[in-house]
């Protein structure tokens, strides 16, 4: 009798018999399945080459998406992607400042940018990409925190990366965030880094030092290694401000006093405005030390000058209390942020421009709130000497006003922590701005808005020329010079009308102040652009010049 197979004997010899891809029992593996040709394997892949194309694929090697197509010929290349006027020949002049060279490259499309030779040498292994990107972001952070425009910050970041041999870098600047991306090649993964600007400060001496460092990095005549660049950047951060605190407080008082004389005040008004501004400055420093936001600092800083004007009006002293309050406002109006915000908007950086202008609006509201509180207190105490109608008639005193405008710009330059070698130049530039404004307003009977725009345009023109002469930023030569043009009078009278419950006239005066502020910012930017029209654009033969970002809306 034959032995029967037990359960152990019917168990598969291995797990291969249980595979889902093994042929089931009873199926002849040698038989040809329906629909398959003789000799063709029954198990195929969807990525397998079909039988009809096997011969062609064998003759043609496997290629890549980046290899030249088989049907491409350099002699018979298609012209559909070439513009009718052709691509301009790019030749960047090494004699031009790095700002102009990098701005030219930045305004080009990525496909048309030339391959720049690195200014700084490195070993055969290539530059240390993470360290170069980190250095670039730190430099951009100092520039953006110092109030530099977004386009100039991107141009500086572009200059640093190209100087150290990193091509295909794309910087991106917003109001609080800087980012940069570097792609080594078309097939390599990009390397990205970013940095957040959390604290801002006004120190144009530090800003000028950063520009000098970038000039050394981009120069082929000066060897600056990454370690030396890091040490230079660290020394710039450690440098103390050029002026002590008491000098800044005194400059704030001098600015307010000069502004009060500019709008018709006398010696007593000068002293009262200076004392009020210095008290406001010390209160703002006290709040800053306690960590309060800048909104409350501006609101509190505007109260002492307004209180001095109200006190003089209550004492029935034969002086203009309106001039005292107006002088105090000149020391608080955020002209620096306004110019930078409008400049970013005109150059196409709309997100950064919106953030800057929103910051200006908050500061303006804080100043209005602080001054209005004191004006309401004065009205409740019976003040009737602060007459807006009488205050609108400003007496023309050319010599006194020119001297006052020079003093105002001088004090403004000290508040901005400018280098001592630039203070006198900026003060003279501010005096010239007021001469032009006074000649157009009092002599030619121009309206205040176009006269302000023309004077600010000359400030921007002279500032741009001075900055190119010194290979530095234009901000130190422009910001303090627009001080005499700031709309302090229109702002004060708007608040005074509102305090007298005349909302219509108050809003009209505040609208005029906003128009004057925009005229200043647009005039400064236009003056800088006009200065570039008379200079050869580095990079494009034939004198063609790239516009910022977009043109004609598309």
């Amino acid at each position: 009798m034959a032995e029967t197979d037990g359960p152990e004997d019917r168990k598969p010899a291995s797990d291969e018999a249980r595979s889902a891809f093994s042929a089931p029992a009873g199926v002849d593996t040698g038989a040809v399945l329906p629909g398959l040709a003789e000799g063709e394997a029954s198990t195929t892949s969807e990525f397998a080459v079909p039988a009809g194309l096997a011969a062609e694929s064998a003759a043609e090697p496997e290629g890549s998406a980046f290899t030249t197509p088989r049907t491409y010929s350099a002699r018979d290349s298609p012209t559909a992607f070439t513009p009718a006027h052709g691509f301009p020949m790019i030749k960047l002049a090494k004699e031009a400042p790095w700002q102009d060279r990098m701005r030219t490259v930045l305004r080009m499309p990525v496909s048309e940018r030339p391959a720049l030779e690195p200014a700084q040498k490195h070993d055969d292994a290539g530059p240390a990409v993470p360290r170069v990107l980190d250095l670039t972001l730190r430099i951009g952070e100092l520039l953006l925190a110092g109030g530099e425009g977004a386009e100039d910050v991107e141009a500086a970041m572009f200059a640093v990366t190209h100087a150290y041999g990193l091509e295909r870098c794309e910087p991106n600047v917003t109001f609080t965030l800087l980012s940069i991306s570097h792609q080594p090649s078309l097939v390599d993964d990009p390397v990205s880094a970013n940095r957040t600007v959390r604290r801002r400060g006004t120190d144009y001496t530090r800003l000028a030092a950063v520009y000098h460092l970038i000039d050394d990095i981009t120069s082929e005549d000066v060897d600056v290694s990454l370690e030396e660049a890091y040490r230079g950047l660290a020394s710039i951060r450690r440098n103390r401000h050029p002026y002590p605190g008491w000098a800044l407080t005194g400059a704030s008082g001098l600015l307010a006093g000069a502004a009060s004389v500019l709008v018709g005040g006398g010696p007593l008004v000068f002293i009262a405005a200076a004392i009020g501004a210095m008290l406001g400055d010390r209160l703002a420093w006290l709040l800053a030390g306690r960590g309060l936001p800048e909104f409350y600092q501006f609101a509190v800083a505007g109260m002492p000058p307004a209180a001095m004007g109200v006190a003089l009006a209550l004492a029935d002293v034969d002086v203009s209390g309106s001039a005292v309050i107006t002088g105090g406002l000149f020391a608080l109006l955020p002209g620096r942020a306004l110019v930078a915000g409008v400049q970013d908007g005109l150059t196409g950086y709309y997100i950064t421009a919106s953030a800057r202008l929103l910051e200006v609006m908050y500061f303006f509201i804080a100043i209005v709130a602080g001054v209005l509180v004191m004006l309401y207190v004065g009205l409740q105490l019976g003040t009737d000497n602060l007459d807006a109608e009488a205050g609108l008639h400003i007496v023309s005193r050319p010599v006194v006003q020119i001297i006052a405008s020079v003093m105002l710009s001088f004090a403004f330059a000290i508040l901005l922590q400018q280098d001592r070698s630039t203070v006198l130049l900026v003060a003279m530039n501010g005096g010239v701005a007021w001469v032009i404004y006074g000649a157009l307003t009092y002599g030619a009977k121009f309206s205040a808005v176009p006269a302000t725009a023309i004077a600010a345009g000359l400030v921007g023109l002279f500032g741009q020329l001075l900055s190119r002469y010194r290979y530095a930023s234009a901000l130190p030569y422009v910001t303090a010079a627009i001080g005499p043009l700031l709309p302090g009078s229109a702002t004060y009278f708007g608040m005074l009308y509102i305090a007298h419950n005349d909302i219509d006239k108050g809003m009209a005066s505040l609208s005029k102040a906003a128009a004057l502020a925009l005229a200043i910012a647009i005039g400064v930017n236009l003056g800088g652009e006009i200065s570039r029209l008379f200079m050869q654009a580095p990079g494009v033969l034939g004198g063609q010049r790239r516009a910022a970002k977009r043109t004609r809306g598309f």
Side-chain angles (χ1 to χ4, degrees), residues 117 129 184 476:
E117 296 183 2
V129 175

Side-chain angles (χ1 to χ4, degrees), residues 99 208 211-212 464 466-477:
Q99 298 98 314
Y211 264 76
H212 286 304
Q464 191 65 233
L466 288 173
S467 67
R468 289 176 60 87
Y469 175 72
R470 297 203 171 196
Y471 292 88
S473 172
L475 283 181
Y477 301 97

Side-chain angles (χ1 to χ4, degrees), residues 178-200:
L178 299 100
S179 61
I180 188 168
S181 177
H182 167 64
Q183 190 170 12
S185 66
L186 293 176
V187 296
D188 292 330
D189 295 332
V191 181
S192 300
N194 57 67
R195 196 171 183 87
T196 303
V197 179
R198 303 190 182 277
R199 186 175 181 179
R200 301 176 184 275

Side-chain angles (χ1 to χ4, degrees), residues 41-288:
S42 59
T43 304
T44 60
S45 170
E46 57 182 296
F47 300 102
V49 180
L53 298 178
E56 296 182 8
S57 61
E60 184 177 341
E62 182 179 0
S64 170
F66 301 99
T67 57
T68 305
R70 176 171 54 88
T71 58
Y72 177 80
S73 173
R75 179 175 301 177
D76 302 328
S77 60
T79 59
F81 299 99
T82 303
H85 57 273
F87 290 111
M89 182 179 296
I90 308 301
K91 184 179 180 182
L92 294 177
K94 296 182 180 180
E95 295 79 11
W98 65 265
Q99 298 98 314
D100 292 344
R101 290 187 282 117
M102 292 301 109
R103 188 181 290 110
T104 301
V105 176
L106 197 63
R107 292 181 178 183
M108 291 180 183
V110 179
S111 59
E112 300 180 20
R113 290 177 183 172
L116 303 179
E117 296 183 2
Q120 302 299 326
K121 307 301 181 183
H122 49 75
D123 53 13
D124 296 335
V129 175
R131 298 197 65 194
V132 174
L133 297 183
D134 179 70
L135 175 67
T136 303
L137 289 174
R138 291 177 182 272
I139 290 177
E141 178 191 9
L142 282 180
L143 294 178
L144 188 62
E148 193 64 82
E151 186 180 35
D152 294 326
V153 175
E154 284 195 2
M157 296 171 67
F158 222 63
V160 175
T161 55
H162 277 284
Y164 285 107
L166 295 188
E167 299 181 3
R168 292 179 292 275
C169 286
E170 284 297 326
N172 187 23
V173 175
T174 58
F175 185 58
T176 57
L177 181 66
L178 299 100
S179 61
I180 188 168
S181 177
H182 167 64
Q183 190 170 12
S185 66
L186 293 176
V187 296
D188 292 330
D189 295 332
V191 181
S192 300
N194 57 67
R195 196 171 183 87
T196 303
V197 179
R198 303 190 182 277
R199 186 175 181 179
R200 301 176 184 275
T202 304
D203 189 345
Y204 282 178
T205 301
R206 179 178 295 177
L207 191 69
V210 175
Y211 264 76
H212 286 304
L213 176 62
I214 300 173
D215 188 49
D216 291 339
I217 291 175
T218 57
S219 176
E220 295 182 354
D221 300 330
V222 181
D223 293 331
V224 182
S225 63
L226 280 175
E227 289 74 14
E228 292 173 344
Y230 268 106
R231 285 196 296 268
L233 198 61
S235 64
I236 292 174
R237 286 180 175 274
R238 287 194 303 266
N239 281 347
R240 301 184 62 181
H241 298 306
Y243 306 104
W246 62 266
L248 298 180
T249 302
S252 179
L254 178 61
L255 191 155
S260 66
V261 174
L262 199 64
V263 296
L268 185 57
V269 172
F270 179 94
I271 295 174
I275 294 175
M278 288 189 290
L279 288 176
D281 181 76
R282 286 294 92 190
L283 286 176
W285 276 103
L286 180 63
L287 294 182

Side-chain angles (χ1 to χ4, degrees), residues 322-344:
S322 299
V324 175
I325 302 176
T326 303
L329 289 176
F330 269 82
L332 297 176
L333 293 177
R336 173 181 59 89
L338 175 67
V339 172
V342 174
Q343 179 181 355
D344 287 340

